Amino acid sequence: MYSAVRTHDYDYPESEMDERESLYFDTISLADSEAAAAAAAHRKSLSQSRNTIYHSAVDLANDETRNSLRLGSGAAAEHAALAWQPGYRQSTALEHLNGGGGGDQTDAVIAAQMLALHNGRNHLPTGIGVGGHTVTGGGALGGAGAGGGDDEVSRRLLRNSSTVSNKDKKLPITYSQWKLRTYRRFDDGKRSVDFVLAYNGEDQVEDHRHKREIFEANLQREGLQLEHNKVQRVHFIKIHAPFEVLYRYAEILKIKVPLKPIPGQDQIFDEAAPAFKSCFTRMCRSLFSSVQLNTELFPEREPRIHLEFSRNYLELYDTEHPNFFDDSTRYSIINFILQRQHFLEGEETADNLGIEKLVQDGIYTCAYTLHDKTDRDRLLKEWANITKWKNLQPLDQIKDYFGAKVALYFAWLGFYTQMLIPISVFGLLCFLYGFVTWSSDPISRDICEDSGTIMCPQCDRSCDYWRLNETCTSSKFNYLIDNNMTVVFALAMAIWSVTYLEFWKRYSAGLVHRWGLTGFTHHVEHPRPQYLAKISHSRKLAGKTQGTTLDPDVPFWSIKFLPNFTSYSIMVLFICISVIAIAGIIIYRMAQRASHSILGSENSMTFKVMILPMTAGIIDLIVISLLDLVYSNLAIRLTNYEYCRTQTEYDESLTIKNYVFQFVNYYSSLFYIAFLKGKFVGYPAKYNRVLGFRQEECNPGGCLMELCMQLVIIMAGKQAVNAIVEMLIPYLMRTVKEMIYRHGWYKSHKEQRLVPYNQFTEDYNLLPAENNSLYVEYLEMVVQFGFITLFSLAFPLAPLLALLNNVIEVRLDAIKMLRFLRRPVGMRARDIGVWHNIMTVVTRIAVASSAMIIAFSTNLIPKIVYAASTDDRELNGYLNFTLAYFNTKDFQVQPLLGGSQYVNETECRYTEFRNPPTDDHPYKRPMIYWKILTGRLAFIVIYQNIINMLQGVLRWAVPDVSGRLLKRIKRENFLLREHIIEYEKQHAMLQAQTAVQNQLQQTKSQESSVLRQRHGGGNEDATSFV
C-alpha cells in the first residue's frame, strides 16, 4: 500500500488504491471548470484514469527537457521495460507531491501536470506532456490511444510552456486529509452527508433526467442541501438536512428529544431507583464483570426527561445530548421528506411522488443512508463479534445507530436468549435424570429381557413377524424423554413461557421510556405513500380524493373487504398445499417403499425405528423450505394488494399471513406424530387404511421417540438453512463481486467497477436494507419459540439447542447488518408489535398441546390406571398389559412368509387394548381401555385448568409496567408541565418587559422629536423676527 494512503478497515488490492488516488486527483482538480469539462469528454472509465496517471509515457518537447526530467536514456528504457512487468509498482504521484523523495521522475511529471491544472492554469510546465493522453481539469484523462484530440491538447499544452514554481511542488492537502474531510461529508468538509441518491450517469433518457431535476428542486425547496458527485460511472447526490429542516419536521412528526436538566428531576430518578440498587449493582458487576460493557467505549447515560419537539421551546432542549437528533432521527426525517416529494410538475398526485416510485422506475438506482465508520468500527469490535458472545449488548448505541425498531429487536432477542438459560438448565437436568434412572425403567427392562414374545407383522404381505426384544435400544432411548420428569418439565415450560412474556413487557417498558418513546402509537404515523397512491386510483374514492391531499376514510366492506378476502383466501390455498405435501410424506411413510431398495430390508428394526423417520424428516424439511420460499415472496405481493394505511399496519398484515402459513407448514408433521400416528390403526383383523395402505404404528414404547427425532431434524435443519441464507449467501455474493471487479470480468461497460473511495461509494455495493428486513429475523425466532413450547417435552434439550443457536444468532445478525447491509432508516417503535400477541397465542396453544401429548403419546396415564387396577406398584407386568393377543388365522391379508422361521406361528402380539381371540367378544375394546381414555381426558381438563390458573396469577402479579416506572412517569409529567408553565410565565414577563421598554423608547423618541421640532421652529421664528 502507499505510504500516503490511510487504508480502510477492509483490505483492498493495490490497484484499487491507485484508483482511489486517481479519484483524489479528480476531486481536487475540479476547481477548473474548463478542465473538468475536458476531463469528462476524454475519460471513458476509471481504469483509463489509472493507466494514464501511473503508466503513461512522458511527451517530451525537446532533448533538453528530456535530460532535465529523466535520469538518463538507459534509466528511462529500463523504467519503460519494468513498467509493464507483473508485480511492478511505480512510485505514486502522491509520494512526489507530498514530499516523498527518491521516486520516479515520470510520476513527478504527472504530478506537476495535476498541480498546474489545480492551480487554474491551462498550460503545463516546459516540456511536460503525455503522449497520447492528456490530464484535464476533472483529473481523468484522455482516450486509450494517441488520438488526434489528445495530441492536439498535448501540443497546446507544450506551446503554453512555463517553469514549475515552488507553489506547485505540494498539493493543497494530503490524501489522508482529503479522505478524512470528504469521507462522509460534502466537499467543504463541514456538512455531513445524511442521505444519498444514486443513479446511472450514462442514463440519457430525457424523461428520467427531467424527473430527477423536478424531484431535486422540490427537495431543495424543502430546505435540503444537495451536492452532486459525478466522478465515476454511478453519479451520487449527497443530501444534508440543516437544523431548520430538522426542527420543522421534528415538530410535525412529534419526535421526542431530551430536555436540559430540570430542577427536581434528580430526586425523581433517585427515588425511582431501587433502594438496594447500589449494593446489588456492585455485587453483580463484580460477579459478572466479564460480561459487562466497556464503559469507556459505551458510557452509561444519565436519565433525562423527553418532550415532543416544538420550536417554541427550543431553549429547553439539550442540544448536546447524544439523543438530540441522532443519526437515526435525522435519517428518518429525510426519508419522510423523500417519500412525499413529487417528480412531475402540474400533476401532483399520489401516483407520482416518493423516492420508492423513482427507484422502482429505474430513475434512481437506490437511495440509502450511510454507515458511520467510527461508530460501526466500535460496534463491530465490541458487539458484532463472535468472541464477544457472552457480553451484554450496547442497546443505547444500537438505538442511536439503527433506530428504536432495530434496537428493540436486538433487545428482545438478547432478553429471550437470557431467559432460555434457566429452562435449558432444567431441561438438561431432566435429560440427565433419564440417564441416571435408565436401568430402573420396567418397560425397557422387560423388552430387553424378553425372548419369547412374537410381534405381528407391520405391513400386509412382505413383512415378517419380529421379536419384541429387537426394540430394546429404541425403548431405552424412549425412556430418556418419557419418564417421571416429563410432566414436571411440561409444567415448567408452561410457567416459563408466561414468565418470559410478562417480564419482557416489563423490561421493554423501561427501555422505551429511556429512549423517549413512551406514549408513541401507530396513530402518530403518517399514511404510506403507496397507500395514498392506491386510493387515488380507486374509482369509488374518486369524489373523496379529488382536489385534496387529505387522508380520506376508506370503508371496509365496499373497498377493503375484497383485497383482504382475496389475500387470505390465497393464504388458505397455500396452507392446503402444505397439508397435502405433508400428507404425501405420511403416505410415503405408510408405504415404506421409497427407501426399500437403498436402505435394506423393511423388516430391519434399524430401518423401521431410525432410517425411515430420518429420511421422512429430511424430505419434510426440504418440502417445508421450498414452500416457505415460494409463499414468503407471494405474501409480500398479497399485502401490497391490501389497503394498509401505515407501515405498522402493513407489517402486521404481512406478519399474520406469513406466520399462520409457517405455523401449519412447520408444525403439521409434528402434530401428526404427536396426535394422530398410531392412534387409529385398527387391529390385524381389521386395519384402518388410507389409499389402500395401513396406517403407521408406534413402537411398543410409544411415538415420543419419533417425535423427538422429527423435532431435532426440523428445528436444527431450519436453523442451519437460515444461517446459510442469511450469512453465507451474502458473503459469497460479495466475494464473487470482488473477484469480478478485481479481474475485470464485466459483461458490459455498465458493470465496470465502482471504486469505493468514500463512505457512500462503499455502501453502494452493500445489499439493500428493506423496510421489512426484521420480519425474517423475528419469524425465525418466533418459529423457534413455537418448537420449544409446543413440543419440547418430547426433547428436553430443545431449549439448550435454542440457547446455543441464539447466542450466535445475535452476533451473526449484528455482523450482517453492519457488514453486508446498507444502514436502514431508523424507525420509531414502542414494542415488538404483533409478534408479542403471536407468542401469547402460541403459549396458550402450547398448554393444550402439552396436555394432549402427555395424555396420548406418553405412558403416564396407562401406568397410573394399571397401578391403580392391579396394585402392581413396580409395574412388572405393565408391558404385557399393553400388548394384545391375535390369532394368525384371523389375518385380513395373510403375510407371504416364504422361508421364514415363523411359518408355524399361531399367535402374535400387537400394541393395543383389546380382548383376546378367546373372549366372548374377540378383539373388542375392554373396560380398561375406557378407563384409560377417561383418565386421559380428565388429565387434559385438569392440567389445562391448573396451568391456565397459574398463568393468570402470573399475568396479574407481573404488571406490564413496574410500579416504580409508572410512578416515575407520572411525576415526570407533572414536573414537565410545571416547568413549561414556569417557562411560559418567564417568557410572557420577558415579552411584557420588552414591550414596556419598546413603548418607553418609542415615547422618548417621540418626545425628543417634538423637542427638536420646537427647537427648530423657535429658531425660525426668531430669525424671521430679526
Side-chain angles (χ1 to χ4, degrees):
M1 299 297 180
Y2 308 145
S3 60
V5 175
R6 181 179 179 180
T7 61
H8 193 264
D9 293 337
Y10 307 103
D11 294 331
Y12 292 96
E14 189 171 312
S15 61
E16 182 174 315
M17 298 304 298
D18 293 338
E19 292 173 344
R20 292 189 190 185
E21 292 185 2
S22 66
L23 289 170
Y24 160 56
F25 286 131
D26 292 350
T27 305
I28 65 171
S29 62
L30 285 175
D32 185 2
S33 60
E34 179 182 356
H42 288 287
R43 183 177 58 191
K44 299 298 183 184
S45 67
L46 290 173
S47 59
Q48 293 175 352
S49 299
R50 178 191 179 280
N51 291 336
T52 307
I53 293 179
Y54 299 114
H55 298 288
S56 297
V58 177
D59 185 11
L60 301 175
N62 49 52
D63 293 339
E64 295 179 0
T65 306
R66 182 184 296 108
N67 293 332
S68 66
L69 291 174
R70 293 189 178 275
L71 300 176
S73 59
E78 181 180 359
H79 170 81
L82 289 174
W84 298 101
Q85 291 182 3
Y88 173 74
R89 184 199 184 289
Q90 292 179 331
S91 57
T92 70
L94 291 175
E95 294 169 354
H96 293 280
L97 297 171
N98 293 322
D104 188 358
Q105 294 294 331
T106 303
D107 289 331
V109 171
I110 304 299
Q113 295 178 358
M114 298 302 302
L115 283 173
L117 292 173
H118 174 75
N119 290 330
R121 298 207 297 265
N122 291 327
H123 59 272
L124 295 179
T126 304
I128 299 179
V130 183
H133 298 275
T134 303
V135 182
T136 62
L141 304 139
D150 293 342
D151 291 339
E152 178 61 27
V153 174
S154 296
R155 286 191 291 269
R156 180 173 61 84
L157 294 175
L158 289 173
R159 287 196 300 270
N160 299 325
S161 60
S162 64
T163 60
V164 179
S165 63
N166 293 331
K167 181 181 179 181
D168 293 333
K169 291 182 180 179
K170 283 188 176 291
L171 290 170
I173 57 173
T174 64
Y175 176 81
S176 299
Q177 293 170 337
W178 168 78
K179 180 180 177 181
L180 182 63
R181 190 182 76 175
T182 63
Y183 192 69
R184 65 190 309 271
R185 294 184 177 273
F186 279 32
D187 289 343
D188 58 13
K190 299 178 181 179
R191 293 171 293 173
S192 62
V193 179
D194 298 325
F195 224 97
V196 172
L197 308 179
Y199 64 94
N200 185 5
E202 299 175 352
D203 183 5
Q204 303 298 328
V205 180
E206 182 63 23
D207 181 59
H208 290 183
R209 184 192 61 79
H210 182 63
K211 289 181 179 180
R212 282 195 296 264
E213 290 178 353
I214 297 175
F215 185 74
E216 294 162 17
N218 289 334
L219 294 180
Q220 290 176 328
R221 276 194 288 270
E222 290 291 337
L224 297 179
Q225 299 174 0
L226 310 182
E227 183 177 83
H228 290 258
N229 180 285
K230 300 181 179 180
V231 175
Q232 304 192 62
R233 173 183 59 83
V234 178
H235 293 179
F236 298 93
I237 301 172
K238 296 177 281 185
I239 302 176
H240 172 75
F243 277 103
E244 293 78 8
V245 177
L246 298 177
Y247 291 162
R248 184 169 72 253
Y249 276 94
E251 190 169 359
I252 295 173
L253 298 175
K254 301 183 183 300
I255 296 175
K256 287 187 176 183
V257 293
L259 295 171
K260 294 177 180 178
I262 302 175
Q265 70 174 26
D266 292 336
Q267 181 182 358
I268 297 177
F269 298 153
D270 294 339
E271 293 179 358
F276 58 90
K277 180 179 179 181
S278 58
C279 179
F280 182 75
T281 302
R282 286 195 299 269
M283 183 179 66
C284 289
R285 286 187 180 275
S286 60
L287 291 176
F288 302 101
S289 57
S290 61
V291 304
Q292 300 297 324
L293 291 172
N294 188 341
T295 54
E296 296 181 357
L297 296 176
F298 305 107
E300 186 176 355
R301 294 178 180 174
E302 298 180 356
R304 289 292 176 89
I305 297 178
H306 293 76
L307 175 67
E308 286 185 2
F309 184 84
S310 174
R311 285 171 286 184
N312 296 331
Y313 305 131
L314 189 58
E315 298 177 1
L316 300 180
Y317 301 111
D318 187 359
T319 57
E320 302 299 327
H321 195 275
N323 280 357
F324 184 81
F325 290 141
D326 53 26
D327 287 346
S328 63
T329 303
R330 298 172 66 94
Y331 299 158
S332 64
I333 291 175
I334 298 174
N335 183 68
F336 181 83
I337 298 173
L338 292 175
Q339 294 287 358
R340 285 156 178 80
Q341 296 306 310
H342 293 274
F343 48 82
L344 288 179
E345 289 182 346
E347 301 178 13
E348 288 81 3
T349 64
D351 194 37
N352 54 52
L353 85 164
I355 186 62
E356 289 189 8
K357 178 65 174 176
L358 292 172
V359 173
Q360 182 180 354
D361 294 342
I363 299 172
Y364 290 101
T365 57
C366 58
Y368 55 95
T369 61
L370 298 182
H371 284 286
D372 182 271
K373 182 179 183 300
T374 303
D375 293 340
R376 179 166 68 168
D377 290 347
R378 181 167 65 248
L379 290 174
L380 281 170
K381 181 180 179 182
E382 299 294 331
W383 174 52
N385 190 338
I386 299 296
T387 61
K388 303 290 183 179
W389 62 270
K390 64 180 183 300
N391 289 34
L392 298 176
Q393 300 185 84
L395 296 178
D396 290 334
Q397 286 72 22
I398 297 172
K399 181 261 176 186
D400 294 343
Y401 196 85
F402 290 115
K405 190 172 184 179
V406 175
L408 275 175
Y409 163 73
F410 282 104
W412 169 76
L413 182 55
F415 183 84
Y416 170 50
T417 303
Q418 293 172 5
M419 288 294 293
L420 282 172
I421 295 175
I423 196 63
S424 298
V425 173
F426 187 74
L428 181 60
L429 294 177
C430 292
F431 197 75
L432 292 177
Y433 171 83
F435 271 109
V436 173
T437 60
W438 192 324
S439 59
S440 64
D441 178 38
I443 299 178
S444 60
R445 183 181 64 247
D446 291 347
I447 290 176
C448 294
E449 294 177 355
D450 181 86
S451 59
T453 302
I454 305 300
M455 302 297 293
C456 298
Q458 291 187 330
C459 60
D460 288 334
R461 291 189 176 276
S462 58
C463 294
D464 199 355
Y465 296 94
W466 54 283
R467 294 188 180 276
L468 180 63
N469 58 10
E470 294 180 14
T471 61
C472 173
T473 304
S474 63
S475 65
K476 289 183 177 180
F477 279 108
N478 190 80
Y479 175 74
L480 294 177
I481 55 180
D482 185 6
N483 49 57
N484 296 331
M485 294 298 292
T486 302
V487 178
V488 179
F489 181 71
L491 178 66
M493 278 298 307
I495 300 301
W496 170 86
S497 60
V498 175
T499 304
Y500 146 68
L501 291 176
E502 293 303 313
F503 275 95
W504 160 248
K505 289 191 291 185
R506 189 182 181 94
Y507 173 69
S508 63
L511 278 180
V512 168
H513 184 69
R514 190 169 79 201
W515 294 338
L517 292 169
T518 301
F520 173 78
T521 63
H522 69 276
H523 299 293
V524 180
E525 292 185 71
H526 287 251
R528 298 165 57 244
Q530 298 87 345
Y531 167 80
L532 296 177
K534 193 174 184 63
I535 63 177
S536 66
H537 291 297
S538 176
R539 296 181 179 179
K540 297 180 180 180
L541 295 175
K544 297 183 179 181
T545 59
Q546 189 173 5
T548 180
T549 58
L550 298 177
D551 178 18
D553 177 53
V554 180
F556 175 79
W557 290 106
S558 60
I559 294 181
K560 289 185 178 181
F561 173 74
L562 182 59
N564 290 356
F565 179 78
T566 304
S567 179
Y568 284 95
S569 298
I570 296 177
M571 179 195 72
V572 172
L573 174 63
F574 265 81
I575 289 176
C576 295
I577 294 174
S578 177
V579 172
I580 292 172
I582 299 301
I585 297 174
I586 293 172
I587 293 174
Y588 153 76
R589 297 159 65 100
M590 293 178 182
Q592 298 187 14
R593 295 172 181 174
S595 305
H596 176 66
S597 60
I598 301 175
L599 301 174
S601 173
E602 290 177 341
N603 292 320
S604 155
M605 279 297 109
T606 303
F607 175 82
K608 295 176 181 178
V609 178
M610 300 294 293
I611 295 180
L612 183 64
M614 288 180 62
T615 55
I618 295 173
I619 295 173
D620 192 16
L621 176 62
I622 295 173
V623 172
I624 287 173
S625 301
L626 292 177
L627 289 174
D628 184 9
L629 180 63
V630 174
Y631 183 77
S632 297
N633 295 326
L634 178 63
I636 297 176
R637 297 189 177 185
L638 295 177
T639 310
N640 292 336
Y641 182 57
E642 298 174 6
Y643 287 85
C644 299
R645 180 179 178 274
T646 64
Q647 187 64 40
T648 300
E649 293 179 5
Y650 180 89
D651 294 340
E652 290 182 354
S653 178
L654 177 64
T655 298
I656 292 173
K657 282 194 291 292
N658 269 286
Y659 185 77
V660 170
F661 172 76
Q662 302 297 352
F663 186 91
V664 177
N665 195 32
Y666 279 101
Y667 303 147
S668 55
S669 61
L670 298 174
F671 278 122
Y672 162 74
I673 297 174
F675 304 137
L676 298 178
K677 183 179 179 181
K679 307 300 187 296
F680 310 101
V681 176
Y683 58 99
K686 188 180 179 181
Y687 282 118
N688 298 321
R689 300 176 183 273
V690 177
L691 298 179
F693 297 109
R694 281 172 48 180
Q695 294 187 32
E696 294 181 280
E697 302 178 30
C698 294
N699 293 323
C703 285
L704 212 59
M705 183 64 187
E706 186 173 345
L707 179 62
C708 172
M709 294 173 57
Q710 189 85 350
L711 176 65
V712 172
I713 290 174
I714 296 179
M715 183 176 173
K718 180 181 183 302
Q719 293 175 353
V721 170
N722 288 335
I724 292 174
V725 172
E726 292 180 11
M727 295 300 300
L728 183 59
I729 292 180
Y731 173 77
L732 292 177
M733 289 175 62
R734 193 183 73 168
T735 303
V736 171
K737 184 182 292 186
E738 288 181 355
M739 292 182 62
I740 291 174
Y741 285 158
R742 183 175 301 180
H743 297 286
W745 298 336
Y746 309 120
K747 294 182 180 179
S748 65
H749 174 67
K750 293 183 179 180
E751 298 181 5
Q752 288 189 9
R753 182 171 196 179
L754 180 70
V755 179
Y757 71 100
N758 54 26
Q759 192 64 65
F760 55 84
T761 50
E762 289 177 2
D763 291 357
Y764 179 82
N765 292 320
L766 298 178
L767 299 176
E770 304 293 341
N771 290 335
N772 58 348
S773 58
L774 290 178
Y775 157 76
V776 178
E777 319 301 335
Y778 273 117
L779 179 63
E780 177 185 356
M781 292 296 103
V782 173
V783 169
Q784 180 198 89
F785 176 78
F787 280 130
I788 65 175
T789 53
L790 293 170
F791 307 105
S792 62
L793 63 87
F795 184 53
L797 295 183
L800 181 61
L801 292 181
L803 173 64
L804 297 176
N805 174 80
N806 293 1
V807 167
I808 306 300
E809 181 73 20
V810 174
R811 309 299 164 174
L812 292 182
D813 286 345
I815 292 172
K816 181 181 69 173
M817 296 195 71
L818 287 170
R819 287 191 181 273
F820 300 125
L821 297 181
R822 295 174 186 150
R823 188 173 182 174
V825 176
M827 300 179 65
R828 290 178 291 173
R830 67 169 183 173
D831 50 34
I832 60 175
V834 72
W835 294 108
H836 185 275
N837 298 331
I838 289 176
M839 287 187 288
T840 302
V841 174
V842 170
T843 300
R844 296 182 183 276
I845 296 176
V847 176
S849 173
S850 299
M852 295 179 67
I853 290 176
I854 294 173
F856 290 100
S857 297
T858 68
N859 292 308
L860 176 66
I861 305 302
K863 285 180 180 178
I864 294 176
V865 174
Y866 171 78
S869 302
T870 61
D871 293 331
D872 181 9
R873 304 299 176 184
E874 300 298 327
L875 303 178
N876 292 321
Y878 175 74
L879 178 63
N880 185 66
F881 169 73
T882 61
L883 298 177
Y885 290 91
F886 182 75
N887 193 331
T888 58
K889 68 178 182 180
D890 295 332
F891 268 120
Q892 194 176 33
V893 179
Q894 290 292 334
L896 301 176
L897 301 178
S900 172
Q901 59 178 329
Y902 305 109
V903 174
N904 298 321
E905 290 291 334
T906 60
E907 189 177 65
C908 63
R909 309 291 298 272
Y910 62 100
T911 306
E912 262 287 8
F913 294 101
R914 290 186 179 272
N915 294 328
T918 57
D919 192 83
D920 294 338
H921 302 283
Y923 309 127
K924 299 298 182 181
R925 297 287 189 184
M927 182 57 65
I928 194 68
Y929 168 80
W930 302 109
K931 291 181 179 180
I932 292 174
L933 180 61
T934 303
R936 285 170 170 170
L937 296 177
F939 173 83
I940 292 174
V941 174
I942 296 172
Y943 179 87
Q944 287 194 83
N945 281 279
I946 292 176
I947 296 300
N948 289 333
M949 181 185 67
L950 293 176
Q951 290 181 344
V953 171
L954 276 173
R955 292 190 179 96
W956 171 80
V958 183
D960 296 349
V961 181
S962 65
R964 290 181 181 275
L965 179 59
L966 192 60
K967 184 178 179 181
R968 172 183 167 181
I969 293 173
K970 292 179 180 179
R971 297 185 64 185
E972 285 180 358
N973 291 336
F974 174 78
L975 182 63
L976 183 58
R977 288 194 298 268
E978 294 297 319
H979 184 62
I980 293 177
I981 292 173
E982 186 65 26
Y983 173 79
E984 291 286 0
K985 288 181 180 179
Q986 294 179 359
H987 186 64
M989 292 175 59
L990 181 61
Q991 285 183 339
Q993 292 175 0
T994 304
V996 171
Q997 292 177 358
N998 292 337
Q999 187 176 2
L1000 290 175
Q1001 291 179 358
Q1002 185 177 3
T1003 303
K1004 289 180 181 181
S1005 63
Q1006 289 177 356
E1007 291 177 353
S1008 61
S1009 63
V1010 171
L1011 290 175
R1012 284 195 300 270
Q1013 290 177 2
R1014 289 180 180 178
H1015 181 70
N1019 290 339
E1020 292 176 359
D1021 294 342
T1023 303
S1024 60
F1025 176 77
V1026 175

